[in-house]
Amino acid sequence: MWKCGICAQKHDGLATVFGAQAPDPWLQAPPAAREGGELNADMCVLNIEGDWHYFLRGHIEIPVTDAPGDVFAWSAWVSLSEDNMQQIAHHWESPARASLAPMFGWLCNELPYETSTMSIPALVHNREPGLVPFIQLDPSVDHPLVKEQRTGIALHRLAEINQVVLG
């Protein structure tokens, strides 16, 4: 049983989405920098030492190999260029958002792995309004998270992740 961070209800079974409410640079920024920036559920803009940084929330989806059709997702933030962020913002409510070309970004959350997940290169694939963008980690990177996204995880591993995150 686990308590949902969105609806505050208790649910049976394993949680299949965990994530950060903000990119780590936002969480680490001094209050004055956050006051000059903006954070909502999907996008973040932050001025760090005179340079503007742009972040988008998406899902790193990982198939659950012994539960066909089930997917576990890390809800995480990636950095994007200013031009890409403007393009996404311009198309945010448009069905055409799904047809935007994949956009390069860097993972900007430290997820609970022994090796750091910060700055893993990724492509952001936008989807229709109402669907969280898909984060495709660079498959050439030698990291356990990248391998899990590529090959999937078993229910046992999902239970381990639940234990680590929920305590």
Side-chain angles (χ1 to χ4, degrees):
M1 183 170 291
W2 55 279
K3 183 178 178 181
C4 177
I6 295 173
C7 71
Q9 299 289 324
K10 291 191 176 184
H11 301 280
D12 289 326
L14 298 171
T16 57
V17 178
F18 289 114
Q21 300 297 319
D24 285 5
W26 175 272
L27 299 172
Q28 297 162 356
R34 287 194 298 258
E35 286 174 16
E38 183 177 341
L39 171 70
N40 64 36
D42 298 300
M43 297 180 196
C44 178
V45 178
L46 180 66
N47 189 304
I48 302 172
E49 297 179 4
D51 291 322
W52 286 99
H53 296 263
Y54 304 89
F55 306 94
L56 181 72
R57 184 178 66 87
H59 281 178
I60 301 167
E61 296 176 355
I62 301 171
V64 181
T65 57
D66 48 357
D70 283 359
V71 174
F72 168 71
W74 287 112
S75 185
W77 294 79
V78 294
S79 64
L80 294 176
S81 70
E82 180 179 7
D83 288 344
N84 284 342
M85 183 61 96
Q86 287 178 353
Q87 190 175 15
I88 290 171
H90 180 73
H91 290 90
W92 192 250
E93 297 297 328
S94 168
R97 183 177 91 183
S99 64
L100 294 174
M103 299 173 176
F104 180 80
W106 299 99
L107 187 59
C108 289
N109 288 115
E110 196 63 72
L111 300 174
Y113 287 80
E114 287 186 24
T115 308
S116 175
T117 59
M118 286 294 289
S119 299
I120 293 176
L123 288 178
V124 176
H125 299 266
N126 287 286
R127 300 192 257 203
E128 297 81 22
L131 295 176
V132 177
F134 169 67
I135 299 171
Q136 177 189 16
L137 301 174
D138 181 340
S140 71
V141 173
D142 183 21
H143 190 281
L145 174 59
V146 175
K147 181 180 179 193
E148 287 178 347
Q149 186 179 44
R150 188 174 57 248
T151 63
I153 59 173
L155 282 168
H156 180 77
R157 172 67 176 130
L158 180 56
E160 288 176 345
I161 293 170
N162 272 250
Q163 181 63 34
V164 167
V165 175
L166 299 173

PDB file of all heavy atoms in Angstrom, residues 20-52:
ATOM      1  N   ALA A  20      10.193  14.160  -9.403  1.00  0.00           N
ATOM      2  CA  ALA A  20      10.537  15.403  -8.722  1.00  0.00           C
ATOM      3  C   ALA A  20       9.537  16.495  -9.083  1.00  0.00           C
ATOM      4  O   ALA A  20       9.065  16.560 -10.213  1.00  0.00           O
ATOM      5  CB  ALA A  20      11.945  15.829  -9.125  1.00  0.00           C
ATOM      6  N   GLN A  21       9.254  17.353  -8.136  1.00  0.00           N
ATOM      7  CA  GLN A  21       8.347  18.476  -8.364  1.00  0.00           C
ATOM      8  C   GLN A  21       9.007  19.610  -9.140  1.00  0.00           C
ATOM      9  O   GLN A  21       8.331  20.499  -9.634  1.00  0.00           O
ATOM     10  CB  GLN A  21       7.830  19.012  -7.020  1.00  0.00           C
ATOM     11  CG  GLN A  21       7.064  17.991  -6.210  1.00  0.00           C
ATOM     12  CD  GLN A  21       5.796  17.540  -6.913  1.00  0.00           C
ATOM     13  OE1 GLN A  21       5.089  18.335  -7.503  1.00  0.00           O
ATOM     14  NE2 GLN A  21       5.518  16.249  -6.874  1.00  0.00           N
ATOM     15  N   ALA A  22      10.343  19.563  -9.223  1.00  0.00           N
ATOM     16  CA  ALA A  22      11.091  20.636  -9.888  1.00  0.00           C
ATOM     17  C   ALA A  22      12.445  20.088 -10.332  1.00  0.00           C
ATOM     18  O   ALA A  22      12.913  19.076  -9.797  1.00  0.00           O
ATOM     19  CB  ALA A  22      11.293  21.814  -8.937  1.00  0.00           C
ATOM     20  N   PRO A  23      13.095  20.770 -11.266  1.00  0.00           N
ATOM     21  CA  PRO A  23      14.465  20.377 -11.605  1.00  0.00           C
ATOM     22  C   PRO A  23      15.389  20.672 -10.425  1.00  0.00           C
ATOM     23  O   PRO A  23      15.157  21.620  -9.662  1.00  0.00           O
ATOM     24  CB  PRO A  23      14.799  21.240 -12.826  1.00  0.00           C
ATOM     25  CG  PRO A  23      13.840  22.375 -12.790  1.00  0.00           C
ATOM     26  CD  PRO A  23      12.623  21.898 -12.062  1.00  0.00           C
ATOM     27  N   ASP A  24      16.430  19.879 -10.269  1.00  0.00           N
ATOM     28  CA  ASP A  24      17.349  20.081  -9.146  1.00  0.00           C
ATOM     29  C   ASP A  24      17.950  21.486  -9.113  1.00  0.00           C
ATOM     30  O   ASP A  24      18.090  22.059  -8.024  1.00  0.00           O
ATOM     31  CB  ASP A  24      18.446  19.022  -9.155  1.00  0.00           C
ATOM     32  CG  ASP A  24      17.930  17.656  -8.678  1.00  0.00           C
ATOM     33  OD1 ASP A  24      16.711  17.508  -8.432  1.00  0.00           O
ATOM     34  OD2 ASP A  24      18.757  16.730  -8.557  1.00  0.00           O
ATOM     35  N   PRO A  25      18.317  22.100 -10.248  1.00  0.00           N
ATOM     36  CA  PRO A  25      18.842  23.470 -10.157  1.00  0.00           C
ATOM     37  C   PRO A  25      17.855  24.440  -9.499  1.00  0.00           C
ATOM     38  O   PRO A  25      18.279  25.373  -8.797  1.00  0.00           O
ATOM     39  CB  PRO A  25      19.111  23.852 -11.618  1.00  0.00           C
ATOM     40  CG  PRO A  25      19.393  22.536 -12.287  1.00  0.00           C
ATOM     41  CD  PRO A  25      18.436  21.572 -11.619  1.00  0.00           C
ATOM     42  N   TRP A  26      16.558  24.239  -9.706  1.00  0.00           N
ATOM     43  CA  TRP A  26      15.554  25.082  -9.051  1.00  0.00           C
ATOM     44  C   TRP A  26      15.594  24.862  -7.539  1.00  0.00           C
ATOM     45  O   TRP A  26      15.582  25.806  -6.756  1.00  0.00           O
ATOM     46  CB  TRP A  26      14.164  24.777  -9.593  1.00  0.00           C
ATOM     47  CG  TRP A  26      13.061  25.519  -8.894  1.00  0.00           C
ATOM     48  CD1 TRP A  26      12.384  25.104  -7.768  1.00  0.00           C
ATOM     49  CD2 TRP A  26      12.518  26.793  -9.228  1.00  0.00           C
ATOM     50  NE1 TRP A  26      11.447  26.049  -7.408  1.00  0.00           N
ATOM     51  CE2 TRP A  26      11.523  27.092  -8.289  1.00  0.00           C
ATOM     52  CE3 TRP A  26      12.785  27.703 -10.245  1.00  0.00           C
ATOM     53  CZ2 TRP A  26      10.776  28.265  -8.334  1.00  0.00           C
ATOM     54  CZ3 TRP A  26      12.048  28.881 -10.287  1.00  0.00           C
ATOM     55  CH2 TRP A  26      11.059  29.149  -9.344  1.00  0.00           C
ATOM     56  N   LEU A  27      15.647  23.596  -7.146  1.00  0.00           N
ATOM     57  CA  LEU A  27      15.647  23.260  -5.717  1.00  0.00           C
ATOM     58  C   LEU A  27      16.906  23.767  -5.021  1.00  0.00           C
ATOM     59  O   LEU A  27      16.870  24.081  -3.831  1.00  0.00           O
ATOM     60  CB  LEU A  27      15.512  21.747  -5.535  1.00  0.00           C
ATOM     61  CG  LEU A  27      14.235  21.135  -6.097  1.00  0.00           C
ATOM     62  CD1 LEU A  27      14.304  19.615  -6.037  1.00  0.00           C
ATOM     63  CD2 LEU A  27      13.010  21.655  -5.365  1.00  0.00           C
ATOM     64  N   GLN A  28      18.011  23.836  -5.752  1.00  0.00           N
ATOM     65  CA  GLN A  28      19.287  24.265  -5.176  1.00  0.00           C
ATOM     66  C   GLN A  28      19.507  25.770  -5.274  1.00  0.00           C
ATOM     67  O   GLN A  28      20.431  26.296  -4.658  1.00  0.00           O
ATOM     68  CB  GLN A  28      20.430  23.521  -5.874  1.00  0.00           C
ATOM     69  CG  GLN A  28      20.368  22.029  -5.665  1.00  0.00           C
ATOM     70  CD  GLN A  28      21.188  21.235  -6.672  1.00  0.00           C
ATOM     71  OE1 GLN A  28      21.769  21.789  -7.602  1.00  0.00           O
ATOM     72  NE2 GLN A  28      21.206  19.927  -6.500  1.00  0.00           N
ATOM     73  N   ALA A  29      18.669  26.466  -6.030  1.00  0.00           N
ATOM     74  CA  ALA A  29      18.848  27.912  -6.235  1.00  0.00           C
ATOM     75  C   ALA A  29      18.473  28.692  -4.979  1.00  0.00           C
ATOM     76  O   ALA A  29      17.569  28.291  -4.228  1.00  0.00           O
ATOM     77  CB  ALA A  29      17.987  28.378  -7.411  1.00  0.00           C
ATOM     78  N   PRO A  30      19.138  29.803  -4.743  1.00  0.00           N
ATOM     79  CA  PRO A  30      18.754  30.644  -3.605  1.00  0.00           C
ATOM     80  C   PRO A  30      17.362  31.238  -3.831  1.00  0.00           C
ATOM     81  O   PRO A  30      16.906  31.367  -4.975  1.00  0.00           O
ATOM     82  CB  PRO A  30      19.834  31.734  -3.573  1.00  0.00           C
ATOM     83  CG  PRO A  30      20.489  31.704  -4.903  1.00  0.00           C
ATOM     84  CD  PRO A  30      20.268  30.342  -5.483  1.00  0.00           C
ATOM     85  N   PRO A  31      16.681  31.592  -2.752  1.00  0.00           N
ATOM     86  CA  PRO A  31      15.321  32.135  -2.879  1.00  0.00           C
ATOM     87  C   PRO A  31      15.209  33.305  -3.852  1.00  0.00           C
ATOM     88  O   PRO A  31      14.233  33.405  -4.590  1.00  0.00           O
ATOM     89  CB  PRO A  31      14.971  32.562  -1.455  1.00  0.00           C
ATOM     90  CG  PRO A  31      15.809  31.679  -0.583  1.00  0.00           C
ATOM     91  CD  PRO A  31      17.081  31.454  -1.348  1.00  0.00           C
ATOM     92  N   ALA A  32      16.205  34.179  -3.890  1.00  0.00           N
ATOM     93  CA  ALA A  32      16.143  35.335  -4.796  1.00  0.00           C
ATOM     94  C   ALA A  32      16.102  34.884  -6.255  1.00  0.00           C
ATOM     95  O   ALA A  32      15.384  35.473  -7.068  1.00  0.00           O
ATOM     96  CB  ALA A  32      17.329  36.258  -4.557  1.00  0.00           C
ATOM     97  N   ALA A  33      16.838  33.857  -6.595  1.00  0.00           N
ATOM     98  CA  ALA A  33      16.829  33.357  -7.976  1.00  0.00           C
ATOM     99  C   ALA A  33      15.470  32.730  -8.293  1.00  0.00           C
ATOM    100  O   ALA A  33      14.941  32.926  -9.391  1.00  0.00           O
ATOM    101  CB  ALA A  33      17.944  32.332  -8.178  1.00  0.00           C
ATOM    102  N   ARG A  34      14.911  31.988  -7.349  1.00  0.00           N
ATOM    103  CA  ARG A  34      13.586  31.386  -7.581  1.00  0.00           C
ATOM    104  C   ARG A  34      12.516  32.465  -7.725  1.00  0.00           C
ATOM    105  O   ARG A  34      11.589  32.317  -8.526  1.00  0.00           O
ATOM    106  CB  ARG A  34      13.248  30.406  -6.469  1.00  0.00           C
ATOM    107  CG  ARG A  34      14.052  29.122  -6.561  1.00  0.00           C
ATOM    108  CD  ARG A  34      13.470  28.047  -5.681  1.00  0.00           C
ATOM    109  NE  ARG A  34      13.485  28.415  -4.286  1.00  0.00           N
ATOM    110  CZ  ARG A  34      14.359  27.972  -3.395  1.00  0.00           C
ATOM    111  NH1 ARG A  34      15.289  27.126  -3.749  1.00  0.00           N
ATOM    112  NH2 ARG A  34      14.292  28.358  -2.144  1.00  0.00           N
ATOM    113  N   GLU A  35      12.632  33.550  -6.959  1.00  0.00           N
ATOM    114  CA  GLU A  35      11.642  34.630  -7.060  1.00  0.00           C
ATOM    115  C   GLU A  35      11.648  35.245  -8.448  1.00  0.00           C
ATOM    116  O   GLU A  35      10.618  35.674  -8.946  1.00  0.00           O
ATOM    117  CB  GLU A  35      11.924  35.707  -6.003  1.00  0.00           C
ATOM    118  CG  GLU A  35      11.551  35.278  -4.604  1.00  0.00           C
ATOM    119  CD  GLU A  35      11.969  36.296  -3.559  1.00  0.00           C
ATOM    120  OE1 GLU A  35      12.266  37.468  -3.910  1.00  0.00           O
ATOM    121  OE2 GLU A  35      12.010  35.908  -2.374  1.00  0.00           O
ATOM    122  N   GLY A  36      12.803  35.294  -9.098  1.00  0.00           N
ATOM    123  CA  GLY A  36      12.903  35.867 -10.436  1.00  0.00           C
ATOM    124  C   GLY A  36      12.597  34.870 -11.538  1.00  0.00           C
ATOM    125  O   GLY A  36      12.528  35.234 -12.698  1.00  0.00           O
ATOM    126  N   GLY A  37      12.412  33.619 -11.169  1.00  0.00           N
ATOM    127  CA  GLY A  37      12.117  32.580 -12.147  1.00  0.00           C
ATOM    128  C   GLY A  37      10.649  32.208 -12.126  1.00  0.00           C
ATOM    129  O   GLY A  37       9.822  32.900 -11.531  1.00  0.00           O
ATOM    130  N   GLU A  38      10.351  31.101 -12.770  1.00  0.00           N
ATOM    131  CA  GLU A  38       8.968  30.626 -12.805  1.00  0.00           C
ATOM    132  C   GLU A  38       8.980  29.106 -12.839  1.00  0.00           C
ATOM    133  O   GLU A  38       9.769  28.495 -13.556  1.00  0.00           O
ATOM    134  CB  GLU A  38       8.251  31.167 -14.034  1.00  0.00           C
ATOM    135  CG  GLU A  38       6.795  30.779 -14.098  1.00  0.00           C
ATOM    136  CD  GLU A  38       6.072  31.375 -15.296  1.00  0.00           C
ATOM    137  OE1 GLU A  38       6.565  32.358 -15.870  1.00  0.00           O
ATOM    138  OE2 GLU A  38       5.022  30.831 -15.654  1.00  0.00           O
ATOM    139  N   LEU A  39       8.093  28.511 -12.053  1.00  0.00           N
ATOM    140  CA  LEU A  39       7.945  27.064 -12.007  1.00  0.00           C
ATOM    141  C   LEU A  39       6.467  26.731 -11.988  1.00  0.00           C
ATOM    142  O   LEU A  39       5.711  27.272 -11.180  1.00  0.00           O
ATOM    143  CB  LEU A  39       8.613  26.498 -10.747  1.00  0.00           C
ATOM    144  CG  LEU A  39       8.369  25.021 -10.448  1.00  0.00           C
ATOM    145  CD1 LEU A  39       9.082  24.127 -11.461  1.00  0.00           C
ATOM    146  CD2 LEU A  39       8.829  24.683  -9.027  1.00  0.00           C
ATOM    147  N   ASN A  40       6.043  25.862 -12.922  1.00  0.00           N
ATOM    148  CA  ASN A  40       4.694  25.311 -12.841  1.00  0.00           C
ATOM    149  C   ASN A  40       4.821  23.790 -12.949  1.00  0.00           C
ATOM    150  O   ASN A  40       5.933  23.258 -12.867  1.00  0.00           O
ATOM    151  CB  ASN A  40       3.744  25.931 -13.876  1.00  0.00           C
ATOM    152  CG  ASN A  40       4.137  25.636 -15.304  1.00  0.00           C
ATOM    153  OD1 ASN A  40       4.629  24.558 -15.645  1.00  0.00           O
ATOM    154  ND2 ASN A  40       3.910  26.605 -16.185  1.00  0.00           N
ATOM    155  N   ALA A  41       3.753  23.091 -13.132  1.00  0.00           N
ATOM    156  CA  ALA A  41       3.796  21.628 -13.131  1.00  0.00           C
ATOM    157  C   ALA A  41       4.583  21.054 -14.298  1.00  0.00           C
ATOM    158  O   ALA A  41       5.045  19.908 -14.224  1.00  0.00           O
ATOM    159  CB  ALA A  41       2.371  21.071 -13.137  1.00  0.00           C
ATOM    160  N   ASP A  42       4.762  21.818 -15.382  1.00  0.00           N
ATOM    161  CA  ASP A  42       5.391  21.277 -16.584  1.00  0.00           C
ATOM    162  C   ASP A  42       6.636  22.012 -17.067  1.00  0.00           C
ATOM    163  O   ASP A  42       7.442  21.431 -17.779  1.00  0.00           O
ATOM    164  CB  ASP A  42       4.375  21.283 -17.738  1.00  0.00           C
ATOM    165  CG  ASP A  42       3.178  20.412 -17.433  1.00  0.00           C
ATOM    166  OD1 ASP A  42       3.372  19.211 -17.215  1.00  0.00           O
ATOM    167  OD2 ASP A  42       2.057  20.950 -17.389  1.00  0.00           O
ATOM    168  N   MET A  43       6.779  23.277 -16.713  1.00  0.00           N
ATOM    169  CA  MET A  43       7.889  24.079 -17.230  1.00  0.00           C
ATOM    170  C   MET A  43       8.526  24.891 -16.110  1.00  0.00           C
ATOM    171  O   MET A  43       7.878  25.214 -15.121  1.00  0.00           O
ATOM    172  CB  MET A  43       7.397  25.033 -18.314  1.00  0.00           C
ATOM    173  CG  MET A  43       6.848  24.340 -19.521  1.00  0.00           C
ATOM    174  SD  MET A  43       6.293  25.560 -20.746  1.00  0.00           S
ATOM    175  CE  MET A  43       5.306  24.513 -21.781  1.00  0.00           C
ATOM    176  N   CYS A  44       9.781  25.223 -16.331  1.00  0.00           N
ATOM    177  CA  CYS A  44      10.521  26.011 -15.350  1.00  0.00           C
ATOM    178  C   CYS A  44      11.500  26.906 -16.098  1.00  0.00           C
ATOM    179  O   CYS A  44      12.124  26.474 -17.073  1.00  0.00           O
ATOM    180  CB  CYS A  44      11.268  25.070 -14.408  1.00  0.00           C
ATOM    181  SG  CYS A  44      12.295  25.902 -13.164  1.00  0.00           S
ATOM    182  N   VAL A  45      11.627  28.141 -15.626  1.00  0.00           N
ATOM    183  CA  VAL A  45      12.600  29.097 -16.144  1.00  0.00           C
ATOM    184  C   VAL A  45      13.331  29.657 -14.930  1.00  0.00           C
ATOM    185  O   VAL A  45      12.708  30.044 -13.944  1.00  0.00           O
ATOM    186  CB  VAL A  45      11.910  30.235 -16.928  1.00  0.00           C
ATOM    187  CG1 VAL A  45      12.926  31.246 -17.419  1.00  0.00           C
ATOM    188  CG2 VAL A  45      11.092  29.683 -18.073  1.00  0.00           C
ATOM    189  N   LEU A  46      14.651  29.683 -15.004  1.00  0.00           N
ATOM    190  CA  LEU A  46      15.446  30.102 -13.854  1.00  0.00           C
ATOM    191  C   LEU A  46      16.682  30.846 -14.322  1.00  0.00           C
ATOM    192  O   LEU A  46      17.370  30.396 -15.250  1.00  0.00           O
ATOM    193  CB  LEU A  46      15.853  28.862 -13.040  1.00  0.00           C
ATOM    194  CG  LEU A  46      16.698  29.069 -11.794  1.00  0.00           C
ATOM    195  CD1 LEU A  46      15.909  29.839 -10.731  1.00  0.00           C
ATOM    196  CD2 LEU A  46      17.152  27.717 -11.241  1.00  0.00           C
ATOM    197  N   ASN A  47      16.978  31.986 -13.682  1.00  0.00           N
ATOM    198  CA  ASN A  47      18.185  32.734 -13.971  1.00  0.00           C
ATOM    199  C   ASN A  47      19.254  32.310 -12.967  1.00  0.00           C
ATOM    200  O   ASN A  47      19.080  32.495 -11.765  1.00  0.00           O
ATOM    201  CB  ASN A  47      17.927  34.233 -13.893  1.00  0.00           C
ATOM    202  CG  ASN A  47      19.103  35.025 -14.410  1.00  0.00           C
ATOM    203  OD1 ASN A  47      20.225  34.883 -13.941  1.00  0.00           O
ATOM    204  ND2 ASN A  47      18.849  35.875 -15.386  1.00  0.00           N
ATOM    205  N   ILE A  48      20.336  31.719 -13.487  1.00  0.00           N
ATOM    206  CA  ILE A  48      21.438  31.291 -12.634  1.00  0.00           C
ATOM    207  C   ILE A  48      22.664  32.109 -13.025  1.00  0.00           C
ATOM    208  O   ILE A  48      23.175  31.986 -14.136  1.00  0.00           O
ATOM    209  CB  ILE A  48      21.733  29.787 -12.800  1.00  0.00           C
ATOM    210  CG1 ILE A  48      20.488  28.951 -12.473  1.00  0.00           C
ATOM    211  CG2 ILE A  48      22.915  29.375 -11.922  1.00  0.00           C
ATOM    212  CD1 ILE A  48      20.625  27.481 -12.802  1.00  0.00           C
ATOM    213  N   GLU A  49      23.057  32.988 -12.111  1.00  0.00           N
ATOM    214  CA  GLU A  49      24.239  33.837 -12.304  1.00  0.00           C
ATOM    215  C   GLU A  49      24.216  34.567 -13.646  1.00  0.00           C
ATOM    216  O   GLU A  49      25.191  34.590 -14.392  1.00  0.00           O
ATOM    217  CB  GLU A  49      25.514  33.006 -12.147  1.00  0.00           C
ATOM    218  CG  GLU A  49      25.655  32.420 -10.753  1.00  0.00           C
ATOM    219  CD  GLU A  49      26.903  31.570 -10.577  1.00  0.00           C
ATOM    220  OE1 GLU A  49      27.728  31.483 -11.516  1.00  0.00           O
ATOM    221  OE2 GLU A  49      27.039  30.992  -9.498  1.00  0.00           O
ATOM    222  N   GLY A  50      23.062  35.120 -13.992  1.00  0.00           N
ATOM    223  CA  GLY A  50      22.932  35.932 -15.195  1.00  0.00           C
ATOM    224  C   GLY A  50      22.556  35.182 -16.456  1.00  0.00           C
ATOM    225  O   GLY A  50      22.344  35.795 -17.494  1.00  0.00           O
ATOM    226  N   ASP A  51      22.488  33.865 -16.396  1.00  0.00           N
ATOM    227  CA  ASP A  51      22.111  33.069 -17.567  1.00  0.00           C
ATOM    228  C   ASP A  51      20.752  32.415 -17.321  1.00  0.00           C
ATOM    229  O   ASP A  51      20.526  31.808 -16.268  1.00  0.00           O
ATOM    230  CB  ASP A  51      23.149  31.970 -17.841  1.00  0.00           C
ATOM    231  CG  ASP A  51      24.470  32.518 -18.324  1.00  0.00           C
ATOM    232  OD1 ASP A  51      24.461  33.495 -19.101  1.00  0.00           O
ATOM    233  OD2 ASP A  51      25.511  31.965 -17.924  1.00  0.00           O
ATOM    234  N   TRP A  52      19.883  32.511 -18.319  1.00  0.00           N
ATOM    235  CA  TRP A  52      18.565  31.890 -18.212  1.00  0.00           C
ATOM    236  C   TRP A  52      18.657  30.415 -18.574  1.00  0.00           C
ATOM    237  O   TRP A  52      19.331  30.041 -19.531  1.00  0.00           O
ATOM    238  CB  TRP A  52      17.556  32.600 -19.111  1.00  0.00           C
ATOM    239  CG  TRP A  52      17.173  33.931 -18.538  1.00  0.00           C
ATOM    240  CD1 TRP A  52      17.666  35.151 -18.894  1.00  0.00           C
ATOM    241  CD2 TRP A  52      16.256  34.161 -17.475  1.00  0.00           C
ATOM    242  NE1 TRP A  52      17.104  36.135 -18.112  1.00  0.00           N
ATOM    243  CE2 TRP A  52      16.228  35.548 -17.234  1.00  0.00           C
ATOM    244  CE3 TRP A  52      15.445  33.334 -16.693  1.00  0.00           C
ATOM    245  CZ2 TRP A  52      15.435  36.122 -16.242  1.00  0.00           C
ATOM    246  CZ3 TRP A  52      14.645  33.904 -15.712  1.00  0.00           C
ATOM    247  CH2 TRP A  52      14.648  35.289 -15.496  1.00  0.00           C
TER     248      TRP A  52
END
